[in-house]
Amino acid sequence: WANLGAGQGSADHCGWPVVPHRVEDVRSWISMRTAGSTLLLRNLDPETGTRLVPDGGRLLYQTRCPRVRIPPADEVLGRSAKSRKRVRAQTRKLLDRGVTFRWISPDEMDRPVLETLFRLHGQRQAMLGRPSTFDPPRRHLHRRLLARAGPGRGPAAVVAEHEGRSIGIRYGFLWLDVFAGYQSGWDPSWAQYRLGTVLYSEAIRLSRAAGARVADFLRGREEWKYRFGAEDRVDETWLLSHGLPARVLGLKYRLRTGGERQERAQSRGG
């Protein structure tokens, strides 16, 4: 058994939305439903999902998901004075060349923006020579997300435009006070101006105006995230094992995660 969101292109911060007084009921139900079977719970949210792991579960590994607390409007974002100065200079160069940045709220997002994102992301990945799971077969899922969006919740984006043409998009999801940056794409011809870096900076700035107080960069320890002042928040993957197949599964994940794996097994309950 595995939680939803744990397959190919798996999600971050998984788990179940459970009101506090039903947590124990849900834990008991999960334990009963999967009794005698192997249960793999991947990338659980540290504040909600991990509370539901049945007794006997073993922590396999933790996944770092950097996030940054968005400062007030009068403060410049960045880990150091050097980082802040560099982003200001890069932003100024793009503005001087006529590039503008526009926030698209969840109730304004539409298919043309999504299609432009797929195109720009594909161009960027082709330039880098690497594949991506954000490919055309994913269109249907994101179209459905657009259809279910509403004010303050759902897909949102920052679009960089030049002479009426979209040259870059930072796409993510707005929920409560968090903007989770999910995917990006930009015209490779603008790479020399560090358009990608400025897109991330503008996404944080403009999402703040939309009510966000936290910018979530999701999984991955890329250095650029920490230059914005991000700090790690960890998702956890747990295994409730029964028999040899489960032990082999646990070993596979510990080997796969390398430096991210938890070196010492931790147990809950039994």
Side-chain angles (χ1 to χ4, degrees), residues 40-263:
L40 178 67
L41 300 175
R42 291 183 58 185
N43 300 323
L44 297 184
D45 183 274
E47 295 178 3
T48 58
T50 57
R51 298 180 303 165
L52 301 171
V53 177
D55 291 344
R58 179 163 56 92
L59 178 62
L60 280 185
Y61 62 89
Q62 296 176 322
T63 305
R64 299 184 190 183
C65 300
R67 52 168 45 194
V68 61
R69 180 69 59 177
I70 302 176
D74 57 349
E75 294 183 21
V76 179
L77 186 69
R79 182 177 60 186
S80 65
K82 182 178 180 180
S83 297
R84 295 190 290 270
K85 182 179 179 181
R86 181 166 52 243
V87 172
R88 281 196 301 265
Q90 293 165 347
T91 304
R92 199 159 46 241
K93 286 182 179 180
L94 287 166
L95 295 176
D96 289 345
R97 283 164 175 76
V99 176
T100 59
F101 297 89
R102 178 167 59 97
W103 171 260
I104 301 180
S105 63
D107 50 328
E108 296 172 326
M109 277 287 295
D110 56 21
R111 287 193 179 187
V113 175
L114 187 61
E115 292 303 315
T116 301
L117 170 67
F118 273 103
R119 175 176 58 80
L120 292 172
H121 178 74
Q123 291 177 359
R124 172 68 176 164
Q125 296 305 106
M127 186 193 77
L128 296 173
R130 63 191 188 199
S132 172
T133 58
F134 190 67
D135 51 12
R138 297 281 187 270
R139 280 190 175 93
H140 182 61
L141 168 62
H142 290 274
R143 287 172 179 173
R144 291 174 62 193
L145 293 173
L146 294 184
R148 295 175 66 89
R153 58 173 178 82
V158 168
V159 179
E161 297 170 316
H162 182 256
E163 297 181 349
R165 183 173 64 91
S166 298
I167 61 171
I169 297 178
R170 176 65 168 163
Y171 171 78
F173 303 99
L174 185 66
W175 173 250
L176 300 178
D177 65 344
V178 177
F179 177 67
Y182 178 73
Q183 198 54 267
S184 300
W186 58 88
D187 187 330
S189 64
W190 288 86
Q192 61 179 313
Y193 299 106
R194 298 290 188 262
L195 177 57
T197 299
V198 177
L199 262 177
Y200 299 148
S201 175
E202 289 298 294
I204 295 171
R205 181 180 70 86
L206 294 173
S207 66
R208 174 177 54 203
R213 297 294 174 264
V214 174
D216 192 337
F217 293 121
L218 303 180
R219 81 182 69 163
R221 297 182 294 167
E222 294 86 351
E223 174 60 26
W224 64 264
K225 298 178 181 180
Y226 299 98
R227 288 200 293 268
F228 283 109
E231 297 181 352
D232 287 338
R233 183 174 184 264
V234 295
D235 285 356
E236 296 182 352
T237 292
W238 288 75
L239 178 69
L240 186 62
S241 59
H242 293 279
L244 179 60
R247 289 196 291 272
V248 172
L249 180 64
L251 176 61
K252 181 185 79 169
Y253 275 96
R254 285 195 294 275
L255 292 174
R256 176 188 295 181
T257 53
E260 289 289 332
R261 71 180 181 270
Q262 192 76 7
E263 294 291 343

Side-chain angles (χ1 to χ4, degrees), residues 10-46:
S10 56
D12 299 316
H13 315 326
C14 292
W16 298 268
V18 180
V19 292
H21 69 277
R22 296 301 303 275
V23 169
E24 288 304 317
D25 293 337
V26 174
R27 288 181 75 239
S28 297
W29 179 85
I30 294 172
S31 182
M32 177 186 67
R33 190 72 178 86
T34 63
S37 302
T38 296
L39 176 64
L40 178 67
L41 300 175
R42 291 183 58 185
N43 300 323
L44 297 184
D45 183 274

